[in-house]
């Protein structure tokens, strides 16, 4: 072979090699699908949240899917959360059809037919509720319906301690005093 033919052959081989390497740096369809698959799953599970060794909440769910790369856990098949105060006394119970836990902050988002019943007899109903682990408070920007032994109140935008003793509604739309 002539020197010129060898040079052309080397250029063609190099070009083909570079073209072949180009697709290796793009994520494959399989890796995109794998990102949507949970790293762990469990059924009929209990998760205990604690702070300094004291239980602050206990969550039960029919199905839990952990997504480590996304740093959250999906909860479904009806969830129940029992809340406790700083002395580890039970204060209230939350139920919902589904939810999500931030694996870093341990904050909870509850969705679909959310009901919180306090040990003092107050009941909160809404479609979405957030529990912030750091402050131990619950809140929602959505419509709420609250019934207590002394009143029935409705409105939009809500924040409370998890025992439903001290709550605020941003826009009250209905209020009635109930007979004891």
């Amino acid at each position: 072979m002539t020197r010129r033919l060898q040079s052309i052959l080397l250029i063609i081989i190099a070009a083909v090699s570079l073209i072949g390497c180009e697709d290796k740096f793009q994520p494959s369809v399989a890796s995109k699908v794998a990102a949507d698959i949970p790293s762990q799953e469990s059924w009929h599970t209990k998760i205990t949240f604690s702070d300094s060794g004291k239980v602050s909440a206990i969550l039960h769910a029919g199905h839990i899917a952990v997504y480590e790369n996304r740093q959250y856990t999906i909860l479904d098949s009806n969830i129940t959360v029992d809340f406790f105060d700083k002395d580890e006394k039970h204060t209230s119970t939350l139920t919902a059809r589904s939810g999500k836990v931030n694996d870093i902050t341990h904050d909870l988002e509850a969705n679909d037919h959310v009901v919180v019943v306090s040990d003092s007899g107050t009941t909160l109903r809404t479609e979405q509720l957030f529990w912030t682990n750091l402050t131990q408070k619950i809140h929602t920007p959505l419509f709420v319906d609250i019934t207590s032994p002394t009143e029935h109140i409705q409105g939009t935008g809500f924040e409370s301690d998890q025992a439903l003793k001290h709550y605020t509604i941003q826009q009250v739309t209905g209020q009635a005093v109930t007979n004891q």
Side-chain angles (χ1 to χ4, degrees):
M1 271 206 271
T2 65
R3 191 173 248 298
R4 182 177 174 154
L5 189 56
Q6 285 177 341
S7 297
I8 292 173
L9 188 56
L10 284 174
I11 291 172
I12 291 173
I13 291 172
V16 169
S17 296
L18 289 174
I19 291 170
C21 292
E22 183 177 328
D23 290 334
K24 291 180 182 177
F25 296 107
Q26 296 180 2
S28 68
V29 174
S31 67
K32 289 179 185 176
V33 171
D36 292 333
I37 297 173
S39 56
Q40 297 177 40
E41 282 186 282
S42 61
W43 287 263
H44 309 291
T45 305
K46 172 181 163 182
I47 298 174
T48 302
F49 297 88
S50 63
D51 182 22
S52 302
K54 293 186 176 185
V55 175
S56 57
I58 298 175
L59 179 142
H60 298 268
H63 177 248
I64 294 177
V66 178
Y67 294 85
E68 284 183 27
N69 291 340
R70 296 181 184 179
Q71 298 179 328
Y72 64 75
T73 299
I74 298 294
L75 314 164
D76 57 24
S77 297
N78 297 319
I79 63 172
T80 301
V81 182
D82 289 302
F83 292 109
F84 299 86
D85 65 14
K86 62 182 177 179
D87 297 320
E88 297 185 279
K89 292 181 183 174
H90 189 271
T91 59
S92 59
T93 301
L94 176 149
T95 57
R97 290 195 179 154
S98 63
K100 182 177 177 179
V101 175
N102 179 315
D103 293 338
I104 303 298
T105 63
H106 302 292
D107 294 346
L108 169 72
E109 173 186 331
N111 298 294
D112 198 11
H113 296 286
V114 181
V115 178
V116 180
V117 179
S118 75
D119 292 354
S120 63
T122 301
T123 301
L124 163 73
R125 297 180 194 289
T126 188
E127 284 302 307
Q128 183 179 51
L129 190 70
F130 300 92
W131 174 67
T132 305
N133 184 39
L134 182 65
T135 62
Q136 305 284 296
K137 292 196 177 219
I138 56 176
H139 59 93
T140 183
L142 302 181
F143 176 81
V144 294
D145 184 306
I146 301 169
T147 305
S148 76
T150 59
E151 68 180 351
H152 182 195
I153 189 167
Q154 297 175 326
T156 304
F158 169 84
E159 182 178 80
S160 176
D161 61 326
Q162 60 197 25
L164 295 177
K165 289 184 179 179
H166 308 284
Y167 55 84
T168 304
I169 298 174
Q170 279 76 39
Q171 297 175 342
V172 175
T173 58
Q175 185 172 6
V177 176
T178 58
N179 294 331
Q180 292 187 23

